[in-house]
Amino acid sequence: MFEAANMVTRNYTVSTLAKWFNSFPHYNLQFLRINNTFSPEDSDYQESLGFWAAVPAAWLTVTLFFFLVFFCARCCSNGTARKHPAYCLRWTIGILSLIALTGVAIGLYGNVEADGGVHDFATAAEKANKTIMGVETQVNDMNRDLTGAMTPLVRLKDLVTNLPLAGKAINDTIIEVENLIKELRTIPFDKEGVNLQLVADDTRFYEYYRFLGTILLLVFELVVGLVALCGVGRGSRCLLIFMTCLAFLCLFVCFGGGALYLAVGVGAGDFCVSPSTYIKDQVKDDVIPKAVLEYYINCYPAAVNPFSQTISQGRRRIIQANDLLREVEGLTTNLPETKEIIKEIGGQLNATETSFDDLVVLVQCPTLHEEYVDALNAVCYDALEGMAYMLVSSLAVGLLFTVSMVLASLAWQRLGRRKQYIEIDEEDPFLPPSGMTPAMGRTSQGPLTLQASVQRGRWDHYLRYSGDRAEREPLLRDNRTPPPSYTYAVRDRGAGVQGSQQDPTVEKRHW
């Protein structure tokens, strides 16, 4: 009857990652080592998880103290570093930023992996809930058929009051049906009505916001890395300073996430090493009997179905009731009005007997055990691996941004401000050659002077340079005087004409 129980089933095996997390030493706040058995209700165990969460937090505290001392020292320095492009620092920051972006990509992959594991767990919980509800539905349908047979049995009993043997057979049939109804009520093993569908829905709901929040934080880290690349690519002091401010905020995100992932990873590793032990300890006997829970969790090939005796007894009662009903039919051949009632009762008993075959398949362990193993694999393989990726990503990105902030502060000190150039027309006929531009300076009296090669008293000549000689040539007499661009361009070009090369008739004019 229960041959399917002997089929080979897939069992859960502990992952290497779970063993690694479980190997972490567990200390409470008094630094006393405790057992690494998963027991989240125990205060000492909670403190042990908080101990590992405090490790990245302590790292963050040390980093902040380092930056406090470092930037105070930078503020107290004279800031006389020579201005130069700082190519070495910029290349180093760029490489570190690219590695950090790779770490962010690893975090994105881990987030997707963890999300898939959580959704697989919810799917397994839904399937297990359908299996449990299928058993309950099947038993309820059988009880409804048996309860429906009680009314025609009572009518049949009233019709055979003059036949003592038939009345006794009907009474025995009623007793068998009532006992069968009582026994079937013991088969649904979820006595408290635990709704795994609600667990699956809540899991998906919270996972949606966890996934979305993690994506936003990783995008923030991605923006910091891109700003760093733009800053070193353009050699922009402003972008490097802005990147440093963003990276400082990003440190809280990285190390805070690392603290959370490390604590959850250690706890999940402890659970995944021995999940069956924790589940058996948590499920009360008044909710699911221990024998039933053991049968479905382990599902050994030679395991005995805890419902086999009840189902076998129910089959015997159905067979006995059918035999009694046939005896009543033989004793009431002279009562034609009983034939339809007996036929109705027989149909309901036969339907119940057929339902026993479906019930046998539903209560066997392979189906529910497979869903249990799928749920454990989703949590202890996919979700735990995704969390490990996010842990590595958070700590690595935090460390890389720490180094990048130090290098960026050194780089922006060495990067000079960009010079503002005035656009001029290089083909302007009034501009002198680049090697013979006028000089600009301050006189001893203070005003800015420009040595312009202009004829004394008149603006109708300008100097034309030919090699080492300067010749005066007249301007056109059509009011085509040098435009203002000539004056400012000459003043801003920077190189001066030596005094030995000036015409004696040229004098300094104030502009």
Side-chain angles (χ1 to χ4, degrees):
M1 186 189 310
F2 294 93
E3 295 83 358
N6 295 323
M7 62 186 299
V8 178
T9 57
R10 182 167 54 93
N11 293 319
Y12 167 74
T13 56
V14 182
S15 65
T16 304
L17 185 61
K19 294 179 182 178
W20 183 73
F21 275 118
N22 180 252
S23 65
F24 281 32
H26 290 55
Y27 294 96
N28 58 14
L29 296 182
Q30 289 75 33
F31 295 97
L32 299 176
R33 189 159 186 172
I34 63 173
N35 191 6
N36 58 0
T37 302
F38 184 72
S39 54
E41 298 84 5
D42 185 26
S43 60
D44 286 338
Y45 184 79
Q46 294 174 1
E47 292 177 0
S48 68
L49 297 182
F51 173 83
W52 284 110
V55 172
W59 189 352
L60 175 63
T61 303
V62 173
T63 302
L64 295 179
F65 179 76
F66 165 76
F67 278 127
L68 176 64
V69 175
F70 177 77
F71 284 113
C72 285
R74 291 294 309 281
C75 291
C76 296
S77 63
N78 54 14
T80 58
R82 186 171 62 87
K83 305 298 182 182
H84 59 82
Y87 292 119
C88 183
L89 285 175
R90 288 163 60 183
W91 271 101
T92 305
I93 297 173
I95 293 173
L96 291 178
S97 299
L98 290 176
I99 299 175
L101 292 178
T102 304
V104 174
I106 294 175
L108 290 171
Y109 172 77
N111 190 39
V112 174
E113 187 77 7
D115 180 70
V118 172
H119 280 282
D120 289 343
F121 168 79
T123 302
E126 284 182 341
K127 292 181 179 179
N129 185 73
K130 290 180 180 179
T131 302
I132 295 173
M133 295 301 296
V135 173
E136 295 181 356
T137 302
Q138 189 67 26
V139 171
N140 291 335
D141 291 342
M142 295 170 66
N143 283 334
R144 185 178 63 250
D145 292 336
L146 294 174
T147 303
M150 294 296 293
T151 301
L153 281 173
V154 173
R155 293 205 320 265
L156 183 61
K157 181 180 178 181
D158 294 337
L159 293 176
V160 296
T161 53
N162 296 327
L163 300 173
L165 293 178
K168 182 179 180 304
I170 293 175
N171 286 332
D172 293 340
T173 304
I174 292 174
I175 293 173
E176 293 291 339
V177 172
E178 289 177 346
N179 291 334
L180 180 57
I181 292 174
K182 293 178 182 179
E183 292 172 354
L184 286 175
R185 289 173 180 170
T186 64
I187 291 181
F189 44 83
D190 186 10
K191 298 179 181 179
E192 294 294 328
V194 177
N195 190 356
L196 294 179
Q197 181 63 47
L198 182 61
V199 173
D201 293 340
D202 290 343
T203 300
R204 286 197 176 96
F205 175 78
Y206 292 113
E207 171 60 19
Y208 171 77
Y209 290 101
R210 186 212 64 81
F211 178 80
L212 184 61
T214 304
I215 288 292
L216 294 178
L217 295 178
L218 291 173
V219 168
F220 175 63
E221 297 175 7
L222 184 66
V223 170
V224 176
L226 294 178
V227 171
L229 289 178
C230 293
V232 298
R234 300 187 58 187
S236 172
R237 301 175 69 229
C238 294
L239 285 178
L240 288 178
I241 295 174
F242 182 57
M243 181 277 293
T244 304
C245 296
L246 292 181
F248 181 79
L249 297 177
C250 193
L251 292 181
F252 292 90
V253 175
C254 294
F255 290 114
L260 177 63
Y261 296 141
L262 183 56
V264 175
V266 172
D270 295 339
F271 169 77
C272 294
V273 166
S274 182
S276 301
T277 302
Y278 175 74
I279 294 173
K280 293 174 185 177
D281 292 340
Q282 293 300 309
V283 177
K284 305 300 181 182
D285 192 62
D286 55 352
V287 177
I288 299 178
K290 294 294 183 182
V292 176
L293 188 63
E294 189 83 24
Y295 172 71
Y296 285 104
I297 287 179
N298 298 324
C299 194
Y300 297 127
V304 178
N305 193 314
F307 304 114
S308 59
Q309 185 176 357
T310 301
I311 293 176
S312 299
Q313 184 67 23
R315 284 181 179 275
R316 287 194 295 268
R317 292 188 184 279
I318 286 291
I319 294 173
Q320 184 66 23
N322 281 325
D323 292 341
L324 292 172
L325 191 61
R326 282 192 292 270
E327 182 180 346
V328 172
E329 185 179 10
L331 294 174
T332 58
T333 53
N334 297 326
L335 298 173
E337 61 273 15
T338 61
K339 291 182 179 181
E340 291 297 327
I341 298 176
I342 292 174
K343 183 178 179 180
E344 179 183 357
I345 296 171
Q348 291 173 335
L349 293 178
N350 291 332
T352 302
E353 186 176 8
T354 303
S355 298
F356 269 107
D357 297 332
D358 298 331
L359 183 61
V360 167
V361 176
L362 290 174
V363 299
Q364 287 177 351
C365 68
T367 301
L368 201 56
H369 179 74
E370 286 285 328
E371 293 154 2
Y372 168 74
V373 172
D374 288 340
L376 289 181
N377 287 336
V379 173
C380 298
Y381 279 86
D382 297 337
L384 187 60
E385 288 178 2
M387 194 171 303
Y389 283 124
M390 289 188 288
L391 171 62
V392 173
S393 171
S394 297
L395 298 182
V397 171
L399 178 60
L400 291 170
F401 281 162
T402 301
V403 179
S404 297
M405 289 173 62
V406 175
L407 297 180
S409 65
L410 297 175
W412 81 58
Q413 185 183 19
R414 288 164 171 76
L415 292 175
R417 295 182 179 274
R418 290 179 177 270
K419 295 182 178 180
Q420 300 296 330
Y421 296 99
I422 300 176
E423 294 185 2
I424 60 175
D425 186 4
E426 296 292 343
E427 298 180 358
D428 191 339
F430 299 103
L431 288 179
S434 59
M436 302 294 293
T437 54
M440 179 181 64
R442 284 186 177 272
T443 64
S444 60
Q445 291 78 14
L448 182 68
T449 61
L450 177 66
Q451 294 181 355
S453 301
V454 185
Q455 184 177 359
R456 182 190 302 271
R458 297 185 59 186
W459 289 77
D460 55 354
H461 289 78
Y462 71 95
L463 292 180
R464 182 173 64 84
Y465 294 92
S466 175
D468 294 335
R469 295 182 304 139
E471 300 178 358
R472 283 197 301 269
E473 291 190 1
L475 293 173
L476 297 177
R477 296 289 185 173
D478 55 357
N479 296 327
R480 293 178 60 186
T481 59
S485 62
Y486 168 76
T487 302
Y488 294 108
V490 168
R491 185 178 61 187
D492 293 339
R493 291 292 290 269
V497 179
Q498 302 297 328
S500 60
Q501 296 177 337
Q502 296 181 2
D503 190 278
T505 62
V506 177
E507 68 176 1
K508 295 182 179 179
R509 294 185 179 271
H510 300 283
W511 297 86

